């Protein structure tokens, strides 16, 4: 392979000159991606593990969602009970 040539220009106060520099380039080719193939069983196992993790995460999400809904219902119930007690006290005080 022929090495490329680059021209370099430099200006000095005394004179202008031109220098040609030969640059050698070593080209290396990386291993093609297809040559580093994983065994199909490894890929399948990884996919199964990821699916299992997704299922666990979805179950946790559903549990947390149900807990939040239940806490909201409890809060509403307590607020209603407090309101009723407050109104009862006001009625008794009158």
């Amino acid at each position: 392979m022929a090495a490329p040539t680059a021209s370099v220009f430099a200006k000095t106060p005394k004179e202008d000159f031109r220098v040609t520099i030969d640059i050698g380039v070593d080209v290396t080719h990386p291993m093609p991606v297809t040559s580093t193939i994983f065994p199909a069983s490894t890929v399948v196992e990884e996919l199964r593990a990821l699916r299992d993790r997704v299922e666990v995460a979805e179950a946790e999400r559903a549990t947390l969602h149900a807990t939040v809904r239940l806490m909201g219902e409890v809060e509403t119930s307590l607020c209603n009970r407090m309101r009723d007690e407050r109104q009862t006290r006001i009625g008794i005080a009158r």
Side-chain angles (χ1 to χ4, degrees):
M1 180 173 149
T5 302
S7 297
V8 178
F9 298 96
K11 289 189 176 182
T12 63
K14 296 180 182 175
E15 62 180 308
D16 291 340
F17 61 92
R18 180 178 173 153
V19 178
T20 301
I21 300 173
D22 291 331
I23 300 173
V25 179
D26 293 332
V27 178
T28 58
H29 296 283
M31 270 174 69
V33 176
T34 55
S35 67
T36 55
I37 296 175
F38 294 107
S41 61
T42 303
V43 174
V44 170
E45 289 299 319
E46 288 293 324
L47 287 175
R48 282 187 188 147
L50 288 174
R51 261 191 232 120
D52 291 343
R53 288 176 61 189
V54 167
E55 289 174 4
V56 168
E58 287 175 350
E60 288 177 356
R61 179 190 152 296
T63 302
L64 288 173
H65 182 68
T67 302
V68 168
R69 284 186 62 193
L70 180 63
M71 289 174 70
E73 292 171 5
V74 168
E75 182 182 18
T76 301
S77 174
L78 289 174
C79 287
N80 289 340
R81 182 177 285 176
M82 289 174 61
R83 184 191 67 224
D84 293 344
E85 288 182 11
R86 193 178 314 119
Q87 288 176 351
T88 302
R89 283 190 198 138
I90 292 171
I92 293 172
R94 289 185 184 168

